[in-house]
Amino acid sequence: MKAYEVKQGTKVIIIDENVKTPPASIPVNNGDEITINRLDGMYCNGINKNGNRVYIAGWTEVKFC
């Protein structure tokens, strides 16, 4: 499922091998668990397990935890 299809507040695991993030964003990798917040343009923002805000491309493949 694509990240933009996930309901706000849902915890997901990244299953995409090549995660696209904005240039100054914290890196996100395959296997990372994040809580999706909302779609913001072409990126979904969320919170990682350390409580940091992260951004991933809306088309990133994810699965439910």
Side-chain angles (χ1 to χ4, degrees), residues 14-20 28-31 59-62:
I14 306 296
I15 59 171
D16 205 321
E17 291 295 324
N18 188 18
V19 182
K20 301 289 186 202
V28 178
N29 300 305
N30 184 18
W59 60 86
T60 303
E61 289 289 333
V62 298

Side-chain angles (χ1 to χ4, degrees), residues 14-48:
I14 306 296
I15 59 171
D16 205 321
E17 291 295 324
N18 188 18
V19 182
K20 301 289 186 202
T21 60
S25 177
I26 295 171
V28 178
N29 300 305
N30 184 18
D32 287 354
E33 183 178 310
I34 66 169
T35 302
I36 298 287
N37 283 336
R38 65 183 182 94
L39 185 63
D40 183 18
M42 67 184 264
Y43 294 100
C44 287
N45 67 49
I47 305 293
N48 67 10

